[in-house]
Amino acid sequence: MMRTAFLWIIPVMLTTACSHSDTGGDQAAADSVKLDADSLISAAVGEAADDFDSYSGVLPCADCDGVETTVNLYPDATYEVHILYYGRASKGPGSNEFSEKGSWTRSGDTIVLKGLKNAPGKYLLSDSSLIQLDQAGRKVEGPLAGKYVLKQIFSTPVQQP
């Protein structure tokens, strides 16, 4: 419920703040509207950030142009992953885009997404990113190694479930 509220409040507040037209004589009112919108956005982002940690990026793909991947880690040790394949021939409905849910664990700096079927489920946690590990749990090496990074969208610390 909180996630849904957060997702619609930002565009509404931005639209409200941006649609105010200042005709020259009412700059104070315009500044007040902007400050109110900024306060509400900050509060909404702060609340949502307390609810989950989110990482996103486009990872390399052997048979497509890239895999847009978003990983949300929740404090109750559950996760949501959304994956979208770019430039890959469709194999039917849902073949190029899907979401999965499950539970996650943390051991040291390694995050394991349990039950993930359509992508590798091990990541190395850094200060502001998740680095996707190979199926054996090792860092990917070679020329594309630096491309297996999901950047943190929200900056709350990930806690051990």
Side-chain angles (χ1 to χ4, degrees):
M1 172 101 168
M2 172 52 85
R3 287 179 227 132
T4 304
F6 170 71
L7 292 176
W8 69 265
I9 195 168
I10 297 293
V12 169
M13 294 311 304
L14 290 175
T15 302
T16 303
C18 295
S19 66
H20 177 75
S21 64
D22 184 43
T23 57
D26 202 5
Q27 185 63 40
D31 290 344
S32 174
V33 169
K34 183 180 183 322
L35 287 174
D36 289 344
D38 289 345
S39 298
L40 287 171
I41 290 169
S42 295
V45 169
E47 274 187 44
D50 289 342
D51 290 339
F52 66 99
D53 297 320
S54 188
Y55 302 84
S56 187
V58 178
L59 303 175
C61 177
D63 66 345
C64 69
D65 297 332
V67 182
E68 181 181 315
T69 304
T70 301
V71 175
N72 295 326
L73 301 175
Y74 298 98
D76 65 353
T78 61
Y79 70 83
E80 289 179 308
V81 174
H82 182 80
I83 296 176
L84 173 64
Y85 290 90
Y86 291 127
R88 184 170 84 171
S90 178
K91 299 172 187 169
S95 66
N96 286 342
E97 182 174 12
F98 61 90
S99 296
E100 290 189 55
K101 295 179 180 184
S103 63
W104 64 274
T105 60
R106 179 176 176 182
S107 176
D109 289 337
T110 302
I111 300 287
V112 177
L113 307 180
K114 295 180 178 181
L116 189 62
K117 298 174 189 78
N118 294 303
K122 294 181 182 178
Y123 293 87
L124 180 64
L125 178 65
S126 75
D127 289 338
S128 61
S129 63
L130 288 178
I131 301 166
Q132 188 178 59
L133 302 175
D134 67 14
Q135 296 290 1
R138 295 183 302 258
K139 283 182 88 172
V140 175
E141 296 186 11
L144 296 178
K147 304 238 182 229
Y148 287 89
V149 177
L150 302 177
K151 300 283 185 186
Q152 190 170 35
I153 297 170
F154 298 115
S155 61
T156 59
V158 175
Q159 300 296 322
Q160 174 69 32

